[in-house]
Coordinates of all heavy atoms in Angstrom, one line a residue:
V77 N 118.4 68.5 130.7 CA 117.0 68.6 131.1 C 116.1 68.5 129.9 O 116.3 69.3 129.0 CB 116.7 69.8 131.9 CG1 115.3 69.8 132.4 CG2 117.7 69.9 133.1
K78 N 115.1 67.6 130.0 CA 114.1 67.5 128.9 C 113.2 68.7 128.9 O 113.0 69.4 129.9 CB 113.3 66.3 129.0 CG 114.0 65.0 128.8 CD 113.0 63.8 128.9 CE 113.7 62.5 128.6 NZ 112.8 61.4 129.0
V79 N 112.7 69.0 127.7 CA 111.8 70.2 127.6 C 110.6 70.0 128.5 O 110.0 71.0 129.1 CB 111.5 70.5 126.1 CG1 110.5 69.5 125.6 CG2 110.9 71.9 126.0
E80 N 110.1 68.8 128.6 CA 108.9 68.5 129.5 C 109.2 68.9 130.9 O 108.4 69.5 131.6 CB 108.5 67.1 129.4 CG 107.9 66.6 128.1 CD 108.9 66.3 127.0 OE1 110.1 66.3 127.4 OE2 108.5 65.9 125.9
E81 N 110.5 68.6 131.4 CA 110.8 69.0 132.7 C 111.0 70.5 132.9 O 110.6 71.0 134.0 CB 112.2 68.3 133.1 CG 112.0 66.8 133.2 CD 113.3 66.0 133.3 OE1 114.3 66.7 133.6 OE2 113.3 64.8 133.0
K82 N 111.4 71.1 131.9 CA 111.5 72.6 131.9 C 110.1 73.2 132.0 O 109.8 74.1 132.8 CB 112.2 73.1 130.7 CG 113.7 72.9 130.7 CD 114.4 74.2 130.6 CE 115.9 74.0 130.5 NZ 116.6 75.1 131.1
L83 N 109.2 72.7 131.2 CA 107.9 73.2 131.2 C 107.2 73.0 132.5 O 106.4 73.8 132.9 CB 107.1 72.5 130.0 CG 107.3 72.9 128.6 CD1 106.6 72.1 127.7 CD2 107.0 74.4 128.4
F84 N 107.5 71.9 133.2 CA 106.9 71.6 134.4 C 107.3 72.6 135.5 O 106.5 72.8 136.5 CB 107.4 70.2 134.9 CG 106.6 69.7 136.1 CD1 105.3 69.4 136.0 CD2 107.3 69.6 137.3 CE1 104.6 68.9 137.1 CE2 106.6 69.2 138.5 CZ 105.3 68.8 138.4
Q85 N 108.3 73.4 135.3 CA 108.7 74.4 136.2 C 107.9 75.7 136.0 O 107.9 76.6 136.9 CB 110.2 74.8 136.0 CG 111.1 73.6 136.3 CD 112.6 73.9 136.2 OE1 112.9 74.8 135.5 NE2 113.4 73.2 136.9
N86 N 107.2 75.9 135.0 CA 106.4 77.0 134.8 C 105.2 77.0 135.7 O 104.8 76.0 136.1 CB 105.9 77.1 133.3 CG 107.0 77.3 132.3 OD1 108.0 77.9 132.6 ND2 106.7 76.9 131.1
R87 N 104.8 78.2 136.0 CA 103.5 78.3 136.8 C 102.5 79.0 136.0 O 102.8 79.8 135.2 CB 103.9 79.1 138.1 CG 104.8 78.3 139.1 CD 104.1 77.1 139.6 NE 105.0 76.2 140.3 CZ 105.6 75.1 139.8 NH1 105.4 74.7 138.6 NH2 106.4 74.4 140.5
Y88 N 101.3 78.7 136.3 CA 100.2 79.3 135.5 C 99.1 79.8 136.4 O 98.6 79.0 137.3 CB 99.6 78.3 134.5 CG 98.8 78.9 133.4 CD1 99.4 79.4 132.3 CD2 97.5 79.1 133.6 CE1 98.6 80.1 131.4 CE2 96.7 79.7 132.7 CZ 97.3 80.2 131.6 OH 96.5 80.9 130.6
R89 N 98.7 81.0 136.2 CA 97.6 81.5 137.1 C 96.3 81.7 136.1 O 96.4 82.5 135.2 CB 98.0 82.9 137.6 CG 96.9 83.5 138.6 CD 97.5 84.3 139.7 NE 96.4 84.8 140.5 CZ 96.1 86.1 140.6 NH1 96.9 87.0 140.0 NH2 95.1 86.5 141.3
V90 N 95.3 80.9 136.4 CA 94.1 80.9 135.6 C 93.2 82.1 135.9 O 93.0 82.4 137.0 CB 93.4 79.6 135.8 CG1 92.0 79.6 135.0 CG2 94.2 78.4 135.4
D91 N 92.9 82.8 134.9 CA 91.9 83.9 134.9 C 90.5 83.3 134.7 O 90.0 83.3 133.6 CB 92.2 85.0 133.9 CG 91.5 86.3 134.2 OD1 90.7 86.3 135.2 OD2 91.7 87.2 133.5
A92 N 89.9 82.8 135.8 CA 88.7 82.0 135.7 C 87.6 82.7 134.9 O 87.2 83.9 135.3 CB 88.2 81.5 137.0
G93 N 87.0 82.1 134.0 CA 85.9 82.7 133.2 C 86.3 83.7 132.2 O 85.4 84.2 131.5
R94 N 87.6 84.0 132.2 CA 88.0 85.0 131.1 C 89.2 84.5 130.3 O 90.3 85.0 130.5 CB 88.4 86.3 131.9 CG 87.2 87.0 132.5 CD 87.6 88.4 133.1 NE 88.2 89.3 132.1 CZ 88.3 90.6 132.3 NH1 88.0 91.1 133.4 NH2 88.9 91.3 131.4
P95 N 89.0 83.5 129.5 CA 90.1 82.9 128.7 C 90.7 84.0 127.8 O 89.8 84.8 127.2 CB 89.4 81.8 127.9 CG 88.0 82.1 127.9 CD 87.7 82.8 129.2
H96 N 91.9 84.1 127.6 CA 92.5 85.1 126.8 C 92.5 84.8 125.3 O 92.8 85.6 124.5 CB 94.0 85.5 127.2 CG 94.9 84.3 127.1 ND1 94.9 83.2 127.9 CD2 96.0 84.1 126.3 CE1 95.8 82.4 127.5 NE2 96.5 82.9 126.5
I97 N 92.2 83.5 125.0 CA 92.1 83.1 123.6 C 90.7 82.4 123.5 O 90.3 81.6 124.3 CB 93.2 82.1 123.2 CG1 94.5 82.6 123.6 CG2 93.1 81.7 121.7 CD1 95.7 81.6 123.4
Q98 N 90.1 82.7 122.4 CA 88.8 82.0 122.1 C 88.7 81.6 120.7 O 89.2 82.3 119.8 CB 87.6 83.0 122.5 CG 87.5 83.1 124.0 CD 86.3 84.0 124.4 OE1 86.2 85.1 123.9 NE2 85.4 83.4 125.2
I99 N 88.0 80.5 120.4 CA 87.6 80.2 119.0 C 86.4 80.9 118.7 O 85.4 80.9 119.5 CB 87.3 78.6 119.0 CG1 88.5 77.8 119.3 CG2 86.8 78.3 117.6 CD1 88.3 76.3 119.4
K100 N 86.5 81.7 117.7 CA 85.3 82.7 117.3 C 84.1 81.9 117.0 O 83.0 82.2 117.4 CB 85.8 83.6 116.2 CG 86.9 84.5 116.5 CD 87.1 85.4 115.3 CE 88.5 86.1 115.4 NZ 88.8 86.8 114.1
D101 N 84.3 80.9 116.1 CA 83.1 80.1 115.5 C 83.5 78.6 115.6 O 84.2 78.1 114.7 CB 82.8 80.6 114.1 CG 81.6 79.9 113.5 OD1 81.1 79.0 114.2 OD2 81.3 80.1 112.3
E102 N 83.0 78.0 116.6 CA 83.3 76.5 116.8 C 82.8 75.7 115.6 O 83.4 74.7 115.3 CB 82.8 76.0 118.1 CG 83.5 76.7 119.3 CD 83.0 76.2 120.6 OE1 82.1 75.4 120.6 OE2 83.5 76.7 121.6
E103 N 81.7 76.1 115.0 CA 81.1 75.4 113.9 C 82.0 75.4 112.7 O 82.1 74.4 112.0 CB 79.7 76.1 113.6 CG 78.8 75.2 112.9 CD 78.4 73.9 113.7 OE1 78.2 74.1 114.9 OE2 78.5 72.9 113.1
L104 N 82.7 76.5 112.6 CA 83.7 76.6 111.4 C 84.8 75.5 111.5 O 85.1 75.0 110.5 CB 84.2 78.0 111.3 CG 85.0 78.4 110.1 CD1 84.9 79.9 109.9 CD2 86.5 78.1 110.3
C105 N 85.3 75.4 112.7 CA 86.4 74.4 112.9 C 85.9 73.0 112.5 O 86.7 72.3 111.9 CB 86.8 74.3 114.4 SG 87.4 75.8 115.1
A106 N 84.7 72.7 112.8 CA 84.2 71.3 112.5 C 83.9 71.1 111.1 O 84.1 70.1 110.5 CB 83.0 71.0 113.4
S107 N 83.3 72.2 110.4 CA 82.8 72.0 109.1 C 83.6 72.5 108.0 O 83.6 72.0 106.9 CB 81.4 72.7 109.0 OG 81.6 74.1 109.2
E108 N 84.5 73.5 108.2 CA 85.3 74.1 107.1 C 86.7 73.9 107.2 O 87.4 74.2 106.2 CB 84.9 75.6 107.0 CG 83.5 75.8 106.5 CD 83.1 77.3 106.4 OE1 84.0 78.0 105.8 OE2 82.0 77.7 106.8
C109 N 87.3 73.7 108.4 CA 88.8 73.6 108.5 C 89.1 72.1 108.2 O 88.6 71.2 108.9 CB 89.2 74.0 109.9 SG 91.0 73.8 110.1
E110 N 89.9 71.9 107.2 CA 90.3 70.5 106.8 C 91.5 70.0 107.6 O 91.6 68.8 107.9 CB 90.7 70.5 105.4 CG 89.5 70.7 104.5 CD 89.8 70.7 103.0 OE1 91.0 70.4 102.6 OE2 88.9 71.0 102.2
T111 N 92.4 70.9 108.1 CA 93.6 70.4 108.7 C 93.6 70.4 110.2 O 94.3 69.6 110.9 CB 94.8 71.2 108.2 OG1 94.6 72.6 108.4 CG2 95.0 70.9 106.7
Q112 N 92.9 71.4 110.8 CA 92.8 71.5 112.3 C 94.2 71.4 112.9 O 94.5 70.7 113.8 CB 91.9 70.5 112.9 CG 90.4 70.8 112.4 CD 89.5 69.7 112.6 OE1 89.9 68.5 112.5 NE2 88.2 70.0 112.7
Q113 N 95.1 72.3 112.3 CA 96.5 72.2 112.7 C 96.7 72.7 114.2 O 97.8 72.3 114.8 CB 97.3 73.2 111.8 CG 97.3 72.7 110.4 CD 97.9 73.7 109.5 OE1 99.1 73.8 109.3 NE2 97.1 74.6 108.9
C114 N 95.8 73.5 114.7 CA 96.0 73.9 116.1 C 96.1 72.7 117.0 O 96.8 72.8 118.1 CB 94.8 74.9 116.5 SG 93.2 74.1 116.2
T115 N 95.4 71.6 116.7 CA 95.4 70.5 117.6 C 96.7 69.7 117.6 O 97.0 68.9 118.5 CB 94.3 69.5 117.2 OG1 94.6 69.0 115.9 CG2 92.9 70.1 117.2
V116 N 97.6 70.0 116.6 CA 98.9 69.4 116.5 C 100.0 70.4 116.9 O 101.0 70.0 117.5 CB 99.2 68.9 115.0 CG1 100.5 68.3 114.9 CG2 98.0 68.0 114.6
C117 N 99.8 71.7 116.6 CA 101.0 72.6 116.7 C 101.1 73.3 118.1 O 102.2 73.8 118.4 CB 100.9 73.7 115.6 SG 101.1 73.0 114.0
C118 N 100.0 73.3 118.8 CA 100.1 74.0 120.1 C 101.1 73.2 121.0 O 100.8 72.1 121.3 CB 98.7 74.1 120.8 SG 98.8 74.7 122.5
P119 N 102.1 73.9 121.5 CA 103.1 73.2 122.3 C 102.5 72.8 123.7 O 103.1 72.0 124.4 CB 104.3 74.2 122.4 CG 103.6 75.5 122.2 CD 102.5 75.3 121.2
A120 N 101.5 73.5 124.1 CA 100.9 73.2 125.5 C 99.7 72.3 125.4 O 99.1 71.9 126.4 CB 100.5 74.5 126.1
G121 N 99.3 71.8 124.1 CA 98.2 70.9 124.0 C 96.9 71.5 124.4 O 96.0 70.8 124.9
C122 N 96.7 72.8 124.2 CA 95.5 73.5 124.6 C 94.3 73.1 123.7 O 93.1 73.3 124.1 CB 95.7 75.0 124.6 SG 96.8 75.5 125.8
Y123 N 94.6 72.7 122.4 CA 93.5 72.4 121.5 C 93.4 70.9 121.4 O 94.4 70.2 121.0 CB 93.8 73.0 120.1 CG 93.8 74.5 120.1 CD1 94.9 75.2 120.4 CD2 92.7 75.2 119.6 CE1 94.9 76.6 120.4 CE2 92.7 76.6 119.6 CZ 93.8 77.2 119.9 OH 93.8 78.6 119.9
T124 N 92.3 70.4 121.6 CA 92.1 68.9 121.4 C 91.0 68.6 120.3 O 90.0 69.4 120.2 CB 91.7 68.1 122.7 OG1 90.7 68.9 123.3 CG2 92.9 68.1 123.6
L125 N 91.1 67.6 119.6 CA 90.2 67.2 118.6 C 89.2 66.1 119.2 O 89.7 65.1 119.6 CB 91.0 66.7 117.3 CG 90.1 66.4 116.1 CD1 89.4 67.6 115.6 CD2 91.1 65.8 115.0
E126 N 88.0 66.4 119.1 CA 87.0 65.5 119.6 C 86.7 64.5 118.4 O 86.9 64.8 117.3 CB 85.7 66.2 120.0 CG 86.0 67.2 121.1 CD 85.6 66.7 122.5 OE1 84.4 66.6 122.7 OE2 86.6 66.5 123.3
G127 N 86.0 63.4 118.8 CA 85.7 62.4 117.8 C 84.8 62.9 116.7 O 84.8 62.4 115.6
N128 N 83.9 63.9 117.1 CA 83.0 64.4 116.1 C 83.6 65.5 115.2 O 82.9 66.2 114.5 CB 81.7 64.9 116.7 CG 82.1 65.9 117.9 OD1 83.2 66.4 117.9 ND2 81.1 66.2 118.6
G129 N 84.9 65.6 115.3 CA 85.5 66.7 114.4 C 85.6 68.0 115.0 O 86.1 69.0 114.4
R130 N 85.1 68.2 116.2 CA 85.1 69.5 116.9 C 86.4 69.7 117.6 O 87.0 68.8 118.1 CB 83.9 69.5 117.9 CG 82.6 69.5 117.2 CD 81.4 69.8 118.1 NE 80.2 70.0 117.3 CZ 79.9 71.2 116.7 NH1 80.6 72.3 117.0 NH2 78.8 71.3 116.0
V131 N 86.8 71.0 117.7 CA 88.0 71.4 118.3 C 87.6 72.0 119.7 O 86.8 72.9 119.7 CB 88.8 72.4 117.5 CG1 90.0 72.9 118.2 CG2 89.2 71.7 116.1
V132 N 88.2 71.5 120.7 CA 88.0 72.1 122.1 C 89.2 72.8 122.5 O 90.3 72.3 122.4 CB 87.6 71.0 123.1 CG1 87.4 71.6 124.5 CG2 86.3 70.3 122.6
L133 N 89.0 74.1 123.0 CA 90.2 74.9 123.5 C 90.1 75.1 125.0 O 89.1 75.6 125.5 CB 90.2 76.2 122.8 CG 91.1 77.3 123.3 CD1 92.5 76.9 123.3 CD2 90.9 78.7 122.6
I134 N 91.1 74.7 125.7 CA 91.2 75.0 127.1 C 92.6 75.7 127.3 O 93.6 75.2 127.1 CB 91.2 73.7 128.0 CG1 89.8 73.1 127.8 CG2 91.4 74.1 129.4 CD1 89.6 71.8 128.5
T135 N 92.5 77.0 127.7 CA 93.7 77.8 127.6 C 94.6 77.7 128.8 O 95.7 78.3 128.8 CB 93.3 79.3 127.4 OG1 92.4 79.7 128.5 CG2 92.6 79.6 126.1
D136 N 94.2 77.0 129.8 CA 95.0 76.8 131.0 C 96.3 76.2 130.5 O 96.3 75.1 129.9 CB 94.4 75.8 132.0 CG 93.0 76.3 132.5 OD1 92.6 77.4 132.0 OD2 92.4 75.6 133.3
G137 N 97.5 76.8 130.9 CA 98.8 76.2 130.5 C 99.3 76.8 129.3 O 100.4 76.5 128.9
C138 N 98.6 77.7 128.6 CA 99.0 78.4 127.4 C 100.3 79.1 127.6 O 100.5 79.8 128.7 CB 97.9 79.4 126.9 SG 98.5 80.5 125.7
L139 N 101.2 78.9 126.7 CA 102.6 79.5 126.9 C 102.7 80.9 126.2 O 103.8 81.5 126.1 CB 103.6 78.5 126.2 CG 103.7 77.2 126.8 CD1 104.5 76.2 126.0 CD2 104.3 77.2 128.2
E140 N 101.6 81.3 125.6 CA 101.5 82.7 125.0 C 102.5 82.8 123.8 O 103.1 83.8 123.6 CB 101.7 83.8 126.0 CG 100.7 83.8 127.1 CD 101.0 84.6 128.3 OE1 101.8 85.6 128.2 OE2 100.5 84.4 129.4
C141 N 102.7 81.7 123.1 CA 103.7 81.7 122.0 C 103.1 82.3 120.7 O 103.9 82.7 119.9 CB 104.1 80.2 121.7 SG 102.8 79.2 121.0
G142 N 101.8 82.3 120.6 CA 101.2 82.9 119.4 C 101.0 82.0 118.2 O 100.5 82.4 117.1
T143 N 101.4 80.7 118.3 CA 101.4 79.8 117.2 C 100.0 79.6 116.7 O 99.8 79.6 115.5 CB 101.9 78.4 117.6 OG1 103.3 78.5 118.1 CG2 101.9 77.4 116.5
C144 N 99.0 79.5 117.5 CA 97.6 79.2 117.1 C 97.1 80.4 116.3 O 96.3 80.3 115.4 CB 96.7 78.8 118.3 SG 96.7 80.0 119.6
R145 N 97.5 81.6 116.7 CA 97.0 82.8 116.0 C 97.6 82.8 114.6 O 96.8 83.2 113.7 CB 97.6 84.0 116.8 CG 97.2 85.3 116.3 CD 97.8 86.4 117.1 NE 97.3 87.7 116.7 CZ 97.5 88.8 117.3 NH1 98.4 88.8 118.3 NH2 97.1 89.9 116.8
I146 N 98.8 82.4 114.4 CA 99.4 82.4 113.1 C 98.9 81.2 112.3 O 98.6 81.4 111.1 CB 101.0 82.3 113.2 CG1 101.5 83.4 114.1 CG2 101.6 82.2 111.8 CD1 101.4 84.7 113.5
I147 N 98.8 80.1 112.9 CA 98.4 78.9 112.1 C 97.0 78.9 111.6 O 96.7 78.2 110.6 CB 98.8 77.6 112.9 CG1 99.2 76.5 112.0 CG2 97.6 77.2 113.8 CD1 100.5 75.9 112.5
C148 N 96.1 79.7 112.2 CA 94.8 79.7 111.8 C 94.6 80.8 110.8 O 93.6 81.5 110.8 CB 93.8 79.9 113.0 SG 92.1 79.6 112.6
N149 N 95.6 81.0 109.9 CA 95.6 82.1 109.0 C 94.6 82.0 107.9 O 94.0 83.0 107.4 CB 97.0 82.3 108.4 CG 97.2 83.6 107.8 OD1 96.8 84.6 108.4 ND2 97.9 83.7 106.7
D150 N 94.2 80.8 107.5 CA 93.2 80.6 106.5 C 91.8 81.1 106.9 O 91.1 81.8 106.2 CB 93.1 79.2 106.1 CG 94.3 78.7 105.2 OD1 95.1 79.6 104.8 OD2 94.4 77.5 105.0
H151 N 91.5 80.8 108.2 CA 90.1 81.0 108.6 C 90.1 82.3 109.6 O 89.0 82.8 109.9 CB 89.5 79.8 109.3 CG 89.4 78.6 108.4 ND1 88.5 78.6 107.4 CD2 90.2 77.5 108.3 CE1 88.7 77.5 106.7 NE2 89.6 76.8 107.3
R152 N 91.2 82.6 110.2 CA 91.3 83.7 111.2 C 90.2 83.5 112.2 O 89.4 84.4 112.5 CB 91.1 85.0 110.5 CG 92.3 85.3 109.6 CD 92.2 86.7 109.0 NE 93.2 87.0 108.0 CZ 94.5 87.3 108.2 NH1 94.9 87.4 109.5 NH2 95.3 87.4 107.2
N153 N 90.1 82.3 112.8 CA 89.0 81.9 113.7 C 89.5 81.9 115.1 O 88.8 81.5 116.0 CB 88.5 80.5 113.3 CG 87.1 80.3 113.8 OD1 86.4 81.2 114.1 ND2 86.8 79.0 114.0
V154 N 90.7 82.5 115.4 CA 91.1 82.6 116.8 C 91.2 84.0 117.2 O 91.9 84.8 116.6 CB 92.6 81.9 116.9 CG1 93.2 82.1 118.3 CG2 92.5 80.4 116.5
A155 N 90.5 84.3 118.3 CA 90.6 85.6 118.9 C 91.6 85.6 120.0 O 91.4 84.8 121.0 CB 89.2 86.0 119.5
W156 N 92.7 86.3 119.9 CA 93.9 86.1 120.7 C 94.3 87.4 121.4 O 94.5 88.4 120.7 CB 95.0 85.6 119.8 CG 96.2 84.9 120.5 CD1 96.4 83.6 120.4 CD2 97.2 85.5 121.2 NE1 97.6 83.3 121.1 CE2 98.1 84.4 121.6 CE3 97.5 86.7 121.7 CZ2 99.2 84.6 122.4 CZ3 98.7 86.9 122.5 CH2 99.5 85.8 122.8
E157 N 94.4 87.3 122.7 CA 94.9 88.5 123.4 C 95.8 88.0 124.5 O 95.7 86.8 124.9 CB 93.8 89.3 124.1 CG 92.9 90.0 123.1 CD 91.9 91.0 123.7 OE1 92.2 91.5 124.8 OE2 90.8 91.1 123.1
Y158 N 96.7 88.8 125.0 CA 97.5 88.4 126.1 C 96.6 88.4 127.4 O 95.6 89.1 127.4 CB 98.7 89.4 126.4 CG 99.8 89.2 125.5 CD1 100.1 90.1 124.4 CD2 100.6 88.1 125.7 CE1 101.2 89.8 123.6 CE2 101.7 87.8 124.9 CZ 102.0 88.7 123.8 OH 103.0 88.5 123.0
P159 N 96.9 87.5 128.4 CA 96.1 87.6 129.6 C 96.3 88.9 130.3 O 97.1 89.7 130.0 CB 96.8 86.5 130.4 CG 97.6 85.6 129.5 CD 98.0 86.5 128.4
R160 N 95.3 89.2 131.2 CA 95.3 90.4 132.0 C 96.6 90.3 132.9 O 97.1 89.2 133.1 CB 94.1 90.4 132.9 CG 92.8 90.7 132.2 CD 91.8 91.1 133.2 NE 91.4 90.0 134.1 CZ 90.8 90.2 135.3 NH1 90.5 91.4 135.7 NH2 90.4 89.1 136.0
G161 N 97.0 91.5 133.3 CA 98.2 91.6 134.2 C 98.0 90.6 135.4 O 96.9 90.6 136.0
G162 N 99.0 89.9 135.7 CA 99.0 89.0 136.9 C 98.5 87.6 136.6 O 98.6 86.7 137.5
Y163 N 97.9 87.4 135.4 CA 97.4 86.1 135.1 C 98.3 85.5 133.9 O 99.1 86.2 133.3 CB 96.0 86.2 134.6 CG 95.0 86.6 135.7 CD1 94.7 87.9 135.9 CD2 94.5 85.6 136.5 CE1 93.8 88.3 136.9 CE2 93.6 85.9 137.5 CZ 93.3 87.3 137.7 OH 92.5 87.7 138.7
G164 N 98.1 84.2 133.7 CA 98.8 83.6 132.6 C 100.0 82.9 133.1 O 100.2 82.6 134.3
V165 N 100.9 82.6 132.1 CA 102.1 81.8 132.4 C 103.1 82.7 133.1 O 103.4 83.9 132.9 CB 102.7 81.2 131.1 CG1 103.2 82.2 130.2 CG2 103.6 80.1 131.4
L166 N 103.8 82.0 134.0 CA 105.0 82.6 134.7 C 106.2 81.7 134.3 O 106.3 80.6 134.9 CB 104.8 82.7 136.2 CG 105.9 83.2 137.0 CD1 106.0 84.8 136.8 CD2 105.8 83.0 138.5
F167 N 107.1 82.1 133.5 CA 108.2 81.3 133.1 C 109.3 81.3 134.1 O 109.6 82.4 134.8 CB 108.8 81.8 131.8 CG 107.9 81.6 130.6 CD1 107.2 82.7 130.1 CD2 107.7 80.4 130.1 CE1 106.3 82.5 129.0 CE2 106.9 80.2 129.0 CZ 106.2 81.2 128.4
K168 N 109.9 80.2 134.3 CA 111.0 80.1 135.2 C 112.2 79.6 134.3 O 112.2 78.6 133.7 CB 110.8 79.1 136.3 CG 111.9 79.0 137.3 CD 111.6 78.0 138.4 CE 112.7 77.9 139.4 NZ 112.5 76.9 140.3
F169 N 113.2 80.5 134.2 CA 114.4 80.2 133.4 C 115.5 79.6 134.2 O 115.5 79.8 135.4 CB 114.8 81.4 132.6 CG 113.8 82.0 131.7 CD1 113.0 83.0 132.0 CD2 113.6 81.3 130.5 CE1 112.1 83.6 131.2 CE2 112.6 81.8 129.6 CZ 111.9 82.9 129.9
G170 N 116.4 79.0 133.5 CA 117.6 78.5 134.2 C 117.5 77.1 134.7 O 116.6 76.4 134.5
Ligands
SF4_167 FE1 99.0 77.0 122.4 FE2 100.8 78.9 121.8 FE3 98.2 79.2 121.2 FE4 99.0 79.2 123.8 S1 99.5 80.8 122.2 S2 97.2 78.1 123.0 S3 100.6 77.7 123.8 S4 99.6 77.6 120.3

């Protein structure tokens, strides 16, 4: 089974209006971050790079892996918390 097919089995409950991860300063992503690695490393593709160099974060589908929190170590521009109970990803194994 391909990893994409496995991921498709996950379920996700969106906590509308209360994203568990936020970019603290969007201006910083555009003006001071040279690599914008979050747009490449997030396995769920939550971060996208806009044409104007801005990074857009949509947390729906986040796998709660913590990669973006670690990778933004230079700027520490990611505010990261686990979703509230009952929200977020529901993994299905097997
Ligand atoms: Fe993407 Fe992982 Fe960060 Fe979620 S925790 S937004 S899946 S890198």
